[in-house]
Amino acid sequence: MSSWRTWHRPLVLFSASMAVMAVVGALGLLVDDRVVAGAPIWAKPFKFAVSFVPYTLTLAWMLTLLTRGRRAGWWAGTVVALACLGEMVLITGQVVRGKRSHFNYETPFDAMLYNAMAVTVVVLWAGTLAIAVLLLRSRIADRASAWAVRSGVLIALVGAGVGFLMSQPSAQQRAAGDLDGADVIGAHSVGVPDGGPSMPLTGWSTTGGDLRIPHFIGMHALQALPLFLLALILLAPRTARLRDPRVRLRLVLVASGAYAAVVALVAWQALRGQPLVHPDGATLTAAALILAATAAGAFAALRPATSLTAADAFDKEPVS
């Protein structure tokens, strides 16, 4: 792994600032008892700061892997850092004002701030997409590393894209009509109003679907899949089979497919208005199929190779 001193400086600095912001948000949770939309007012900036720390730090590292388009990558990373900073400034500003930051159309000023926040999200997503394209075009020597990074960033883009669904009017808001005069347009929850009974810490709904679940899980594929590969590498000295780079590649591909399937499952569950903690038979069946397919894939990946597998073909294919 490259020295952290070579990592993308603006993203590293932003990540450090979010670590400080997480402490500020935690203190706000302790000393400020205001509540907005059924949640402590400092919960949102705290959770965003905690999420942004690993997200931007991982992107800062991934940009060191570029073998072409380094200047374009630097600018894409800088755009992502600035977009994240803009979003955090707007969220925190609304906390200071005692207002909800997301879906707020209560006044023209609140609507302007929320629309500005929506722009930062689009810019953040576009910047991450640019980084993903550059990573797909780069020649990364270790194939398992290449696919862990590429799968992670592509699944993260899908997870981030779930956020766009939250900005749409909910079924209840559409049924109420008069969206032009509504104070709130958009919601995290599906089938129930925002601010109802929720899980501790995450705030995810326990009575309806919650789009923040696939959003969160998807975005953090960015860290999960490279960390999975790192675990395989650390275990390799003790496990002979894991010393084979082809085995690690196959396991990374299995893990990537499983992770993508889980994101799709929790998104499907949320869109049906079903809480994560109360899955129905269809959800449990789909989860069991994913588990079985993952176990079978892992077993096949660990078996001694007797012929060229699809994963080996990935390992041997040239990178343009």
Side-chain angles (χ1 to χ4, degrees), residues 187-258:
H188 299 126
S189 302
V190 178
V192 295
D194 281 350
S198 62
M199 297 170 61
L201 188 61
T202 63
W204 297 338
S205 176
T206 57
T207 57
D210 200 314
L211 292 168
R212 289 173 294 185
I213 299 169
H215 181 61
F216 175 86
I217 295 175
M219 286 188 67
H220 290 290
L222 199 67
Q223 297 86 45
L225 292 174
L227 286 174
F228 173 74
L229 175 60
L230 178 60
L232 295 181
I233 293 171
L234 292 175
L235 289 170
R238 304 180 191 178
T239 308
R241 195 66 54 80
L242 295 181
R243 295 172 199 159
D244 186 342
R246 295 171 299 175
V247 170
R248 293 198 298 269
L249 170 62
R250 293 195 289 267
L251 287 172
V252 164
L253 292 173
V254 170
S256 299

Side-chain angles (χ1 to χ4, degrees), residues 67-104:
T67 57
R68 58 178 70 181
R70 288 182 177 272
R71 181 176 291 274
W74 188 90
W75 280 109
T78 302
V79 166
V80 169
L82 291 174
C84 293
L85 177 62
E87 185 174 9
M88 282 303 299
V89 167
L90 292 168
I91 290 172
T92 307
Q94 286 294 72
V95 168
V96 172
R97 295 181 65 233
K99 302 283 189 176
R100 68 182 295 163
S101 54
H102 287 66
F103 321 129
N104 189 351

Side-chain angles (χ1 to χ4, degrees), residues 137-224:
R137 298 181 65 243
S138 290
R139 186 183 297 276
I140 300 174
D142 179 65
R143 303 302 295 170
S145 297
W147 284 98
V149 167
R150 292 164 180 169
S151 299
V153 74
L154 290 174
I155 296 172
L157 280 168
V158 173
V162 174
F164 297 120
L165 297 177
M166 302 182 206
S167 65
Q168 303 303 307
S170 67
Q172 293 89 341
Q173 290 165 355
R174 292 183 187 278
D178 190 26
L179 291 177
D180 291 335
D183 290 342
V184 176
I185 301 177
H188 299 126
S189 302
V190 178
V192 295
D194 281 350
S198 62
M199 297 170 61
L201 188 61
T202 63
W204 297 338
S205 176
T206 57
T207 57
D210 200 314
L211 292 168
R212 289 173 294 185
I213 299 169
H215 181 61
F216 175 86
I217 295 175
M219 286 188 67
H220 290 290
L222 199 67
Q223 297 86 45

Side-chain angles (χ1 to χ4, degrees), residues 11-38:
L11 283 169
V12 170
L13 292 175
F14 175 77
S15 182
S17 72
M18 287 301 97
V20 175
M21 187 62 207
V23 175
V24 173
L27 291 174
L29 288 169
L30 292 174
V31 303
D32 192 340
D33 59 1
R34 290 179 296 167
V35 173
V36 171

